[in-house]
Amino acid sequence: MNVVIAWLCAAALALFAVPAFADAALPQFQVDPFWPKPLPNNWILGQVSGIATDKFDRIWLVHRPGSLTPRERAAEQNPPEAKCCVAAPPVLVFDQSGNLNRYWGGAGSGYQWPESEHGIFVDDNDFVWLAGNGSKDGQLLKFTMQGKFVLQIGKPGERNDSNATDRLGSPADVAVDVAAKEVFAADGYANRPVVVFDSETGAYKRHWGAYGNKPSDEKTPRYDPAASPSRQFGNPVHCIRIDKDGLVYVCDRTNNRLQIFRKDGSFVAEHVYEKATRGNGSVYDLVFSPDPDQKFIYMIDGMNGEVRIVDRASKETLGRFGRPGRQIGQFTALHNIAVDRQGNIFTSEVNTGQRVQKFRRVDLQN
């Protein structure tokens, strides 16, 4: 029987394989239809708005329990309206086999949980950072891996100001430079800068906008591929990452571009992807391949529903996989991406996608 099950699993993996690229030197991936394993306790995921890995190759995700409909939470009703389901806790941690081994999150003492969860980051000192893109969310939260509260930076409020130093404006993402003790925020859905704080005390340090200039909250036109590039970030400023060389990568989602800076905010370069894309944009999130040279950037495009493989040195697109859809290996509202030390990719989906997927790297790596 075990042989039969193993054969069926292998057949399913082959069936749902992501097509290999013609260039064998490119990373190649195969979707794992059995990852993660079913959740316990009748739990169900809402919009999965952040995904990350840690140095132990565990996979962390944050989702939005509040995005679930009453029908999806039927077992929570009083009296219950159906046998299933119940909203899972906001933060969930999985091992490589897809087993759930930790969970926590939500309102607690000493901090203000975001009204709409958005983004998760695990730093090299094993602290977990969370952001939120609710209309009043203006804070970053720092926890231990066990979910013990450590620090809140900023506060909720009605006012949005891209040059404020005491709160953020619906921040989307976080990156941490542990050596410098600095946390970088992509800020966000309401504001338009990158903001840097002391990661130990929460003290404000600096901020900047597109091209390293002072950000403005003046209304800007909708993205037009025929127009000159906007001198301001659009909303949302959706991702932030720091590469091995200390350069800061910022996803200007609706302007279809990646901007790169030094840590002091000085502008380095700009790269546009799928320029003709309108709507929600083409540059949602990115991670670097885990090899020492970080040869590749894995970038996700939510509007076009694909994972883009980019050469980090040249910033040229080398390959891609995925398309919009609801089948395994396709994407509905692709939102975030993470990579582990083996080179496996993990993706998350919001809107009605409400899931995570694992894509195993199947080619030989150096």
Side-chain angles (χ1 to χ4, degrees):
M1 181 63 68
N2 290 338
V3 174
V4 173
I5 293 174
W7 182 87
L8 289 172
C9 291
L13 282 170
L15 176 64
F16 294 115
V18 174
F21 302 105
D23 185 350
L26 284 181
Q28 299 177 54
F29 299 92
Q30 200 173 58
V31 67
D32 183 348
F34 303 108
W35 196 98
K37 293 179 180 177
L39 294 174
N41 306 320
N42 266 348
W43 285 347
I44 187 172
L45 292 176
Q47 298 177 9
V48 187
S49 52
I51 194 163
T53 55
D54 63 24
K55 62 188 178 186
F56 307 104
D57 274 348
R58 293 176 297 213
I59 299 87
W60 294 71
L61 64 87
V62 62
H63 80 110
R64 298 169 177 157
S67 68
L68 290 162
T69 66
R71 179 170 179 172
E72 289 171 316
R73 303 176 75 158
E76 293 184 46
Q77 308 307 312
N78 187 19
E81 295 183 353
K83 294 187 291 184
C84 195
C85 296
V86 174
V91 176
L92 303 168
V93 188
F94 296 88
D95 65 19
Q96 284 287 313
S97 297
N99 299 299
L100 178 68
N101 60 26
R102 190 172 298 170
Y103 49 86
W104 48 266
S109 176
Y111 62 88
Q112 294 158 305
W113 190 261
E115 64 179 25
S116 176
E117 296 86 348
H118 196 295
I120 187 168
F121 183 85
V122 184
D123 71 27
D124 290 340
N125 286 335
D126 300 336
F127 290 106
V128 182
W129 295 80
L130 297 164
N133 73 326
S135 61
K136 296 181 181 180
D137 289 336
Q139 71 273 31
L140 304 178
L141 298 176
K142 179 181 180 181
F143 294 88
T144 67
M145 285 187 166
Q146 292 73 35
K148 181 182 178 181
F149 171 65
V150 176
L151 178 68
Q152 177 171 319
I153 301 174
K155 57 190 176 183
E158 301 285 351
R159 175 178 56 88
N160 292 313
D161 179 355
S162 290
N163 293 291
T165 61
D166 61 338
R167 68 177 301 270
L168 298 107
S170 306
D173 197 19
V174 175
V176 179
D177 179 351
V178 296
K181 297 182 179 180
E182 292 184 336
V183 55
F184 293 69
D187 185 34
Y189 276 75
N191 289 349
R192 293 177 177 170
V194 170
V195 190
V196 185
F197 301 92
D198 186 297
S199 61
E200 305 299 309
T201 67
Y204 165 83
K205 300 189 80 171
R206 61 190 176 277
H207 73 281
W208 67 85
Y211 301 104
N213 298 325
K214 182 178 179 179
S216 168
D217 291 312
E218 292 183 9
K219 187 175 181 179
T220 56
R222 286 177 62 91
Y223 174 77
D224 180 354
S228 298
S230 173
R231 301 305 297 177
Q232 294 288 335
F233 286 135
N235 294 117
V237 187
H238 202 251
C239 92
I240 190 160
R241 295 285 180 266
I242 304 173
D243 74 3
K244 72 178 188 67
D245 299 320
L247 294 176
V248 180
Y249 289 60
V250 179
C251 296
D252 188 4
R253 194 176 91 180
T254 54
N255 285 318
N256 296 340
R257 65 186 177 184
L258 167 69
Q259 287 202 342
I260 303 173
F261 303 87
R262 295 181 182 89
K263 291 178 184 176
D264 63 3
S266 55
F267 176 71
V268 175
E270 174 180 84
H271 302 275
V272 175
Y273 296 91
E274 303 297 337
K275 184 177 181 179
T277 300
R278 299 176 187 260
N280 289 331
S282 67
V283 183
Y284 271 57
D285 194 10
L286 63 89
V287 288
F288 306 106
S289 59
D291 55 281
D293 293 330
Q294 294 183 336
K295 185 175 181 181
F296 303 106
I297 298 171
Y298 302 131
M299 181 184 296
I300 58 168
D301 180 339
M303 196 66 189
N304 294 302
E306 64 183 23
V307 176
R308 188 177 299 123
I309 300 176
V310 175
D311 179 75
R312 189 177 69 92
S314 67
K315 308 303 184 294
E316 293 181 0
T317 300
L318 304 176
R320 52 175 56 84
F321 64 84
R323 51 147 287 184
R326 301 185 183 279
Q327 306 306 310
I328 293 173
Q330 298 176 350
F331 302 109
T332 298
L334 179 62
H335 194 258
N336 297 98
I337 188 168
V339 65
D340 65 20
R341 292 181 300 170
Q342 284 71 51
N344 303 309
I345 283 175
F346 301 84
T347 60
S348 72
E349 298 170 49
V350 293
N351 204 322
T352 57
Q354 300 183 185
R355 66 175 174 177
V356 292
Q357 296 192 78
K358 178 179 182 176
F359 296 84
R360 296 183 183 275
R361 185 159 178 184
V362 296
D363 58 307
L364 295 175
Q365 304 176 61
N366 294 331

